[in-house]
Structure formats: C-alpha cells, structure tokens
Amino acid sequence: MQQIINFIIRYKNFLLYLFLLMVALGFTIQSHSYHQSSFFNSSSWISGGIYETSYSISSYFDLDEENRKLVEENRRLRNLLFNNEKPVDSILLDSAQASYTIASGQAIKNSYAGRRNYITINKGERDSVKLDMGVITPKGILGIVQNTSNRFATVQSILNVNSNINAKLKNTNHFGSLVWDEKEYNVVQLIDIPRLVQLNVGDTIVTGGMSSIFPENIPIGTIKKFDLDRAQSFWSVDVDLFNDMTNINTVYILKNVNRAEILELEEETRSND
Amino acid sequence: MISNYYFINVIRFTLLVLVQVLVFNQLNFFGYINPMVYILFLYWYPIKENRAVFIGLSFLLGLSIDFFSDSMAIHAASTVTIAYLRPAIMRFVFGVNYEFQSFKLGNATAVQQFAFLALLIVVHHLVFFTVEIFSFANLLLILKKVFSIGLATLVLCLLFSSLFSVSKE
C-alpha cells in the first residue's frame, strides 16, 4: 500500500498528464462517430455570444458586398417568377402545402482551413432550428446543422471530411455523393457517378432528390475536371463551387416538413426486410 | 506580489484565447495557415510554479480554444503534452542551470529562447496534426502542415514575445 501511494506521489504529474490526455483523446474519438453531438462546440452561449459580438462589428465592413449579393439573388428569383409560364397561384403559396419552410440567419463564424470545418450561425432552438436541417446561401449549398443551443447552431460545412451529400447532374437523374478531399477550399468531389454517364467540363451539379435534408436542384457548382476512380467503373468529379466558402454571410435554413414522416417510413421499410 | 502574478496569468490566458479565436483562427493565410499563438502562454508561464497546476491550466487553455473552434479536444491534447514535456525541453535547451533560483527566461541567450520556443511549437504541432489527421498514410501531409503552420506560428510568437518582453516584469 505504502509503495502504491509512493508511486502515485512520485509520478503524480505523469499520471495527471496521462489522465488529461486520455480525457482529450476520449472527447476527440467520441465525436468522430457520426452525429454524436459534442459538448465542445461553438454553438454554446458563451462562444456564440463572443462570436456574435465580433460579427456585429466586422459585418459593417462588407455590407456593400453583401447587399450586392442579395440583390443579385433577388434579381435571379424575380427572373424565375416573372418568366414562369403559368402564373403563380396563391393556393400554391399556401404554407400548409409547402414541403419546406425557410428561415434566414447570419454566419457569425466561418472556417475552411481545417479538415472538419464548422460554421456557427446566429439561429438556434429558439428559432426552431434543429439537428439535420439543410443550410444554403444565396449562391448555393453550405452544409447541415450539427449542434444547436438556444440561440446558436453549428453547421457541418460541405468542406468537412465527414460531410456526405446526395448530388446529381442537372437535368439528369444520375446521382452520386458529394465529399471533400480537404485539398482546396473551393473544390469538392462528386463520386460514384457511373462510367456510362456522359460528362462535360462545365456541367452544373445540383443537389439530388434522394435526401430528406435538401430539396432537389439547389446549385452546388460546375464540373472542373473528371477522372475514372481506381476501380475504373465510376467517375470521380472535381466540382468548382458556386459559393465562395471564404465569404459566408447570409444563410437560409431549410426545414423539411415531411422529414419525420419520410424517416419513419424508411425505418419501417428497413425493419420489414 | 503573488496576487499580481496570478492576475497577469489570468489576463494573459484570456487575452491569448480571444486573440487566437477572433484574429488568428480567421487569418487563413494561403487558405490554410492559422498560426497558434496561444502557445506563448506556455512559453511565458513562470518556471518555478507547481507543475500539476501548470498542466491543468494548459489543458484548460487548449480546451477553451477547442470550445471556440469546433475541433473536439485536439488543442487540449497537444497543449497538455507540451505542458508535460516543458521541463524536459527546458533541460535540453538551457542545461541544468535552469533549475537554479536565479534563472530567468529573460536572462537566457536569444538562441536559447528561440530554440525553446521552436521546440515547444514543433512538438505541439506534431501532436496536433497527428491527432487531427489520425492516419500515418498521410505522413507527408502531417509534415507539410507542421512545417508551414509551425513556421508561421514561430514568426508570430517571436514578434509577440519581443513586443511583450518577459524580462521587464
């Protein structure tokens, strides 16, 4: 007994170090697993609050550019609205029939230099933002909500090695998965497109309809180059993003009204197998 | 005097965390270089203090950075490692005389201070990127990041340490 106590006293610093290291690695490995919401995320009130204060100062410096981006988006949407062949019926705009509801927010912290990038936005549970909602910007796709607190939420960016989003070629139904190889912050990869599909550099990539998180046809980017993968049976496509991931300000948070029902149905189907 | 000591360290801790998360984590030089200047806390921390407290504080420092940067607990793991290894690094750089009462970081030669800081940064970045990338298949990527980001951290830390010199305390 004496010896054990002596041992502990002698090596107390080493044991303390080992303990703290294990705690740190434990947190790290635990958060590797998908959707384990972690305690250490910047959506908490204190870090979110500090980021919001910082944002409220720095946002003044690019009001002009942000304004221009939003006007450009407005122009595009009005263009769609006025050139639609059949006039928009007010019944179609009825919120009871909408399958997506949209909230807006601001990105108060952005990161794109690491392997697992997260964006913090100033909307949280108070504004009914929940786990697994899609987040887009005026130009294209941004990511999926990962953690929420009362006032803030963190968004898993598409520039994250864990990110995996259903995407397809515009105007066809050939779909694949959108992943990131962490090399460049303006290029993501679309994998698992079958070899027989005809691709061209410059083709547009949009979100696919296979996910219950994003609606179909949200712009992602254009094809930069494409190669066959190692097995020579699928294309691996480099996609140039429409979004400037270094400059994120206004975001839209999409809620699929039918998501719970879709998931339930899928779960039921799986258990019947 | 004692309370003054604590006061300085608390202020330093807070300021370094804020500067790190609000300025240097947003820097993104060349798209991926974010220097980690908070290592200066370990460089400046008094030598004769209780080691257990120092290790605990370093863990907290890393954890606060993680808290802001959504990096799980990678900063904490790497910071606590250099906190534990600091006496060994100091013995290596300054020889045995760092254990004397009269030894002060400000009295060491510039080369020694530089070597001490550089070793702290190299060890920290090695642990950090090994844990972050977590695969030895990417050894080259790890080394590239350690080198480029370590260099940026070193330059900025040297600038900061010459701006806020310890010897004047």
Side-chain angles (χ1 to χ4, degrees):
Chain A
M1 194 62 201
Q2 184 77 38
Q3 282 190 327
I4 296 175
I5 292 173
N6 274 344
F7 174 82
I8 291 177
I9 291 175
R10 221 170 126 205
Y11 291 101
K12 68 175 196 302
N13 288 327
F14 179 67
L15 291 175
L16 177 69
Y17 163 64
L18 216 58
F19 170 71
L20 291 177
L21 187 70
M22 287 304 132
V23 169
L25 290 181
F27 278 129
T28 307
I29 290 163
Q30 178 225 26
S31 337
H32 270 301
S33 55
Y34 186 62
H35 272 174
Q36 185 101 48
S37 54
S38 60
F39 173 66
F40 302 108
N41 66 74
S42 56
S43 72
S44 72
W45 64 272
I46 176 152
S47 46
I50 288 177
Y51 277 131
E52 192 169 43
T53 313
S54 150
Y55 169 78
S56 68
I57 298 165
S58 62
S59 64
Y60 282 103
F61 295 105
D62 56 11
L63 279 180
D64 250 7
E65 201 195 329
E66 189 56 22
N67 222 342
R68 215 170 302 137
K69 265 202 288 189
L70 293 177
V71 167
E72 172 61 23
E73 189 196 20
N74 263 338
R75 189 197 60 75
R76 189 167 55 81
L77 293 178
R78 282 193 188 280
N79 200 11
L80 278 176
L81 191 66
F82 296 145
N83 294 330
N84 207 343
E85 277 123 35
K86 42 180 196 259
V88 179
D89 194 343
S90 61
I91 293 174
L92 287 177
L93 296 174
D94 186 359
S95 62
Q97 291 193 358
S99 52
Y100 280 90
T101 57
I102 302 172
S104 67
Q106 256 82 39
I108 53 173
K109 172 232 160 191
N110 183 18
S111 78
Y112 51 88
R115 299 185 81 219
R116 295 183 195 84
N117 294 304
Y118 294 91
I119 292 146
T120 311
I121 57 175
N122 63 354
K123 287 283 148 79
E125 283 154 25
R126 195 173 63 173
D127 317 282
S128 61
V129 169
K130 292 197 192 68
L131 185 71
D132 277 342
M133 284 187 178
V135 180
I136 61 172
T137 71
K139 281 184 178 166
I141 189 171
L142 184 66
I144 297 171
V145 173
Q146 173 105 6
N147 286 296
T148 53
S149 71
N150 192 25
R151 287 166 54 205
F152 305 100
T154 56
V155 177
Q156 185 188 62
S157 164
I158 45 172
L159 302 183
N160 187 312
V161 284
N162 295 333
S163 166
N164 192 338
I165 289 168
N166 181 265
K168 65 170 193 176
L169 283 162
K170 197 180 181 180
N171 299 331
T172 73
N173 275 323
H174 296 293
F175 63 87
S177 302
L178 197 71
V179 293
W180 186 49
D181 69 356
E182 61 189 284
K183 289 210 177 78
E184 285 173 88
Y185 56 77
N186 50 3
V187 177
V188 294
Q189 281 66 39
L190 180 64
I191 54 169
D192 292 344
I193 296 269
R195 185 179 178 166
L196 53 94
V197 179
Q198 177 79 41
L199 296 177
N200 292 308
V201 170
D203 280 358
T204 307
I205 305 291
V206 295
T207 53
M210 314 290 281
S211 109
S212 54
I213 294 174
F214 289 104
E216 217 172 337
N217 293 324
I218 290 181
I220 296 173
T222 55
I223 295 183
K224 192 183 180 195
K225 69 178 182 23
F226 52 89
D227 279 313
L228 283 174
D229 66 358
R230 230 177 264 156
Q232 301 283 310
S233 50
F234 291 101
W235 294 113
S236 170
V237 184
D238 276 6
V239 181
D240 234 342
L241 290 171
F242 286 133
N243 242 339
D244 178 5
M245 295 300 285
T246 62
N247 184 5
I248 306 285
N249 199 335
T250 306
V251 298
Y252 301 106
I253 305 131
L254 312 175
K255 184 193 180 185
N256 187 347
V257 180
N258 303 322
R259 177 170 161 84
E261 199 176 334
I262 295 173
L263 288 186
E264 196 183 317
L265 193 62
E266 281 175 356
E267 186 56 41
E268 211 172 284
T269 318
R270 216 169 296 138
S271 60
N272 284 346
D273 269 347
Chain B
M1 177 62 202
I2 296 280
S3 66
N4 189 22
Y5 228 49
Y6 284 127
F7 187 65
I8 286 176
N9 275 314
V10 168
I11 295 281
R12 212 178 256 164
F13 189 105
T14 330
L15 278 183
L16 278 174
V17 170
L18 285 181
V19 165
Q20 178 68 47
V21 298
L22 293 180
V23 181
F24 290 105
N25 274 358
Q26 323 278 326
L27 204 60
N28 298 312
F29 194 51
F30 289 136
Y32 70 99
I33 295 181
N34 288 331
M36 305 182 198
V37 291
Y38 69 92
I39 296 176
L40 276 173
F41 182 79
L42 287 94
Y43 175 70
W44 278 332
Y45 195 82
I47 298 157
K48 305 289 180 320
E49 293 293 309
N50 185 343
R51 254 186 97 190
V53 174
F54 175 56
I55 292 176
L57 265 180
S58 309
F59 182 72
L60 271 185
L61 175 71
L63 216 53
S64 342
I65 306 280
D66 284 319
F67 200 61
F68 283 94
S69 40
D70 295 298
S71 48
M72 297 169 286
I74 307 178
H75 284 288
S78 43
T79 314
V80 82
T81 305
I82 48 170
Y84 176 70
L85 292 178
R86 195 176 83 146
I89 295 176
M90 290 187 106
R91 201 169 299 126
F92 176 72
V93 174
F94 302 119
V96 277
N97 61 353
Y98 96 93
E99 279 160 13
F100 293 135
Q101 278 303 319
S102 58
F103 179 79
K104 267 188 182 161
L105 195 59
N107 300 342
T109 62
V111 177
Q112 282 177 325
Q113 290 182 11
F114 176 83
F116 176 43
L117 186 59
L119 274 175
L120 280 181
I121 291 172
V122 166
V123 175
H124 176 276
H125 283 39
L126 263 178
V127 176
F128 183 88
F129 290 110
T130 311
V131 176
E132 190 196 32
I133 294 171
F134 214 69
S135 97
F136 286 104
N138 291 322
L139 196 64
L140 221 59
L141 182 70
I142 295 178
L143 290 179
K144 179 189 143 204
K145 284 198 165 183
V146 170
F147 181 74
S148 52
I149 299 176
L151 199 66
T153 309
L154 186 63
V155 170
L156 278 161
C157 284
L158 285 174
L159 278 176
F160 268 94
S161 65
S162 58
L163 266 177
F164 309 100
S165 177
V166 199
S167 54
K168 286 189 190 99
E169 270 173 23

